[in-house]
């Protein structure tokens, strides 16, 4: 895989460099609530601009239906990128049309432009190779060189991720190089004990990665909504908690395999419950109960790990040489159910080992709950991409960057 440093050594002055970034930031209207993904691509964009490239930044945002939708415009992201760069960033109001063509043509050496949301064109996400390829051809006309730096999208076989690199000289940006380097530390020559904390709502989203980790990790700590399928698989009543009944046989098999493989599978000993899901808009007090994990009342649902479980999980992380965390332990968006996620984040900070926060909601929680991002070993920009890499899958966006 060619690196951006190799590309810079060859010289990029005056060349149009297409940077596939991940500017898929959360928005409240037009206000960006977390700019972490924009900051993550800054080193690549800065290096190219300072070397005299004419930088064309492209990304998706949200899930528009293959047509323009103002709610998913990249305008706010382009403005924020300009603020962070300390330089004007031009913004094209389409992807491959008149605005994009004229905006790119108007760039001088060292200047940066952002084109509109790639998913406003149906060809970006099409499953039809010809339709996707036709859109990639249009994108290729905007550039001389391709740099892949949108790690959060490399698990997608999309035109700008998979097809476009085949049409242009290509290299991996700094972010992708960093992310791949970190993931190799989690899969090759891992320092032990290797502890993985998994949360999130649905166990089905994590089954493939659990399957892989049962042969690699020393301990698995389970939390979030997915934990109730594990508790049910152990024969516990889980009340009105989130449950995927159809996954119980698979989870039972995983519990048995963990014991057989000597992997310590750690489940909560207590949980916070309520009779209703909390109001995340008003953040009204929820007054949760704390109950034993094997004694959840029939009319209550579990919404976070309890105080004894927080202590237990912290102790299981204390001696880790390598930690991977993906998925919150509870409904961290509400203050009454944020303590479990806070406890795991703090345990990572206290751990002497190499700590990786696996993107998605975990990365958002770190920022929302006020932790210093720089205190962690690495915070990934791609939750889904990180998980699929750990599952052993071939990621289309990485395969496309290979020489």
């Amino acid at each position: 895989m060619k690196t951006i440093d190799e590309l810079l050594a060859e010289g990029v002055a005056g060349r149009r460099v297409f940077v596939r970034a991940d500017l898929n930031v959360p928005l409240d209207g037009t206000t960006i609530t977390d700019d972490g993904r924009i900051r993550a691509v800054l080193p690549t964009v800065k290096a190219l601009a300072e070397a005299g490239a004419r930088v064309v930044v492209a990304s998706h945002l949200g899930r528009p239906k293959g047509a323009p939708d103002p709610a998913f415009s990249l305008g706010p992201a382009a403005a924020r990128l300009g603020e962070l760069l300390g330089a004007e960033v031009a913004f094209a109001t389409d992807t491959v049309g008149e605005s994009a063509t004229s905006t790119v043509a108007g760039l001088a050496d060292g200047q940066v432009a952002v084109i509109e949301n790639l998913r406003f064109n149906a060809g970006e996400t099409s499953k039809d190779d010809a339709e996707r390829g036709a859109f990639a051809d249009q994108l290729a006309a905007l550039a001389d060189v391709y740099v892949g730096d949108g790690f959060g999208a490399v698990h997608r076989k999309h035109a700008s991720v998979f097809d476009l690199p085949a049409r242009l000289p290509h290299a991996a940006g700094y972010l992708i190089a960093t992310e791949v380097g970190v993931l190799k530390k989690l899969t090759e020559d891992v320092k032990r004990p290797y502890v993985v904390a998994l949360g999130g709502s649905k166990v089905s989203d994590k089954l493939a990665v659990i399957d892989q980790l049962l042969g690699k990790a020393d301990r698995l700590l389970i939390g979030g909504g997915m934990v109730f399928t594990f508790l049910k698989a152990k024969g516990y009543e889980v009340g009105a908690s989130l449950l995927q009944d159809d996954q119980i046989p698979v989870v039972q098999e995983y519990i048995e395999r963990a014991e057989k493989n000597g992997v310590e599978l750690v489940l909560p000993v207590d949980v916070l419950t309520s009779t209703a899901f909390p109001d995340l808009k008003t953040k009204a007090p929820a007054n949760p109960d704390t109950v034993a994990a094997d004694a959840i009342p029939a009319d209550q649902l579990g919404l976070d790990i309890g105080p004894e479980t927080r202590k237990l999980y912290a102790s299981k992380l204390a001696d880790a040489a390598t930690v991977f965390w993906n998925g919150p332990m509870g409904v961290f968006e509400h203050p009454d159910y944020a303590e479990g996620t806070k406890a795991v984040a703090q345990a990572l900070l206290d751990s002497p080992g190499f700590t990786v926060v696996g993107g998605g909601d975990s990365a958002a929680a770190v920022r929302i709950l006020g932790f210093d991002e720089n205190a962690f070993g690495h915070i990934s920009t791609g939750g889904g991409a990180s998980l699929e890499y750990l599952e052993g899958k071939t990621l289309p966006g990485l395969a496309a960057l290979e020489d």
Side-chain angles (χ1 to χ4, degrees):
M1 188 181 291
K2 187 174 187 177
T3 69
I4 188 173
D5 285 331
E6 292 174 295
L7 178 65
L8 292 169
E10 293 173 358
V12 293
R15 303 174 79 186
R16 300 169 302 163
V17 181
F18 188 104
V19 177
R20 195 352 173 145
D22 179 9
L23 308 181
N24 186 27
V25 292
L27 293 170
D28 182 2
T30 59
T31 302
I32 296 170
T33 57
D34 181 358
D35 67 357
R37 285 177 171 157
I38 301 175
R39 287 184 284 109
V41 79
L42 278 179
T44 291
V45 174
K46 273 186 175 180
L48 290 166
E50 289 171 359
R54 303 177 182 193
V55 187
V56 182
V57 180
S59 176
H60 69 287
L61 192 152
R63 296 180 182 272
K65 305 296 184 180
D69 183 338
F72 297 105
S73 175
L74 279 174
R80 181 58 179 153
L81 178 62
E83 292 172 357
L84 292 168
L85 286 172
E88 184 178 352
V89 169
F91 180 61
T93 57
D94 57 27
T95 55
V96 291
E98 184 179 336
S99 180
T101 302
S102 61
T103 298
V104 174
L107 289 175
D109 294 0
Q111 290 187 329
V112 179
V114 173
I115 63 174
E116 187 55 285
N117 192 337
L118 292 163
R119 291 185 183 174
F120 285 1
N121 190 303
E124 169 67 2
T125 60
S126 176
K127 297 190 186 307
D128 181 82
D129 290 349
E131 184 180 10
R132 225 177 40 247
F135 183 48
D137 288 337
Q138 292 178 292
L139 292 172
L142 298 174
D144 305 303
V145 181
Y146 177 93
V147 172
D149 215 29
F151 181 73
V154 294
H155 58 315
R156 306 295 188 192
K157 192 177 182 180
H158 291 170
S160 65
V161 176
F162 178 74
D163 302 272
L164 184 55
R167 289 158 169 78
L168 295 169
H170 50 264
Y174 290 124
L175 174 61
I176 279 187
T178 298
E179 294 274 13
V180 171
V182 166
L183 288 168
K184 284 184 177 178
K185 290 184 179 180
L186 301 178
T187 54
E188 302 172 13
D189 193 26
V190 182
K191 293 184 178 178
R192 299 183 180 280
Y194 177 22
V195 184
V196 177
L198 293 176
S201 57
K202 294 182 178 179
V203 69
S204 55
D205 294 341
K206 304 288 168 70
L207 286 178
V209 76
I210 292 171
D211 183 60
Q212 287 293 313
L213 290 169
L214 286 174
K216 293 174 181 170
D218 297 299
R219 289 182 206 128
L220 286 176
L221 316 182
I222 307 295
M226 62 184 282
V227 79
F228 300 104
T229 303
F230 277 84
L231 294 175
K232 187 72 172 179
K234 297 266 291 181
Y236 301 158
E237 290 303 320
V238 297
S241 304
L242 182 64
L243 179 65
Q244 289 187 281
D245 280 301
D246 60 324
Q247 302 299 332
I248 289 175
V250 181
V251 170
Q252 287 174 328
E253 192 270 323
Y254 283 178
I255 292 171
E256 292 170 6
R257 183 141 56 95
E259 185 174 358
K260 181 180 177 181
N261 291 355
V263 177
E264 189 178 1
L265 182 63
V266 188
L267 301 176
V269 294
D270 59 350
V271 295
L272 299 188
T273 64
S274 178
T275 55
F277 197 84
D279 189 326
L280 300 184
K281 185 167 282 190
T282 66
K283 305 287 198 297
N287 302 314
D289 294 321
T290 302
V291 302
D294 60 354
I296 300 173
D299 64 340
Q300 299 202 12
L301 63 158
L303 295 162
D304 193 15
I305 58 174
E308 292 306 313
T309 303
R310 290 174 223 149
K311 295 176 190 174
L312 172 65
Y313 284 14
S315 72
K316 297 296 182 181
L317 290 161
D319 66 342
T322 305
V323 181
F324 175 71
W325 169 36
N326 180 278
M329 295 291 107
V331 187
F332 73 92
E333 300 91 341
H334 192 285
D336 286 351
Y337 301 107
E339 293 303 317
T341 301
K342 279 185 184 177
V344 168
Q346 186 60 53
L348 262 70
L349 292 182
D350 295 340
S351 169
F354 179 62
T355 57
V356 178
V357 179
D361 286 341
S362 308
V366 163
R367 299 182 183 108
I368 290 169
L369 298 176
F371 289 93
D372 178 5
E373 296 175 59
N374 296 320
F376 297 87
H378 178 70
I379 296 181
S380 178
T381 57
S386 295
L387 287 177
E388 290 198 16
Y389 189 101
L390 294 181
E391 289 167 19
K393 290 184 178 179
T394 296
L395 306 188
L398 297 184
L401 293 175
E402 297 290 348
D403 295 328

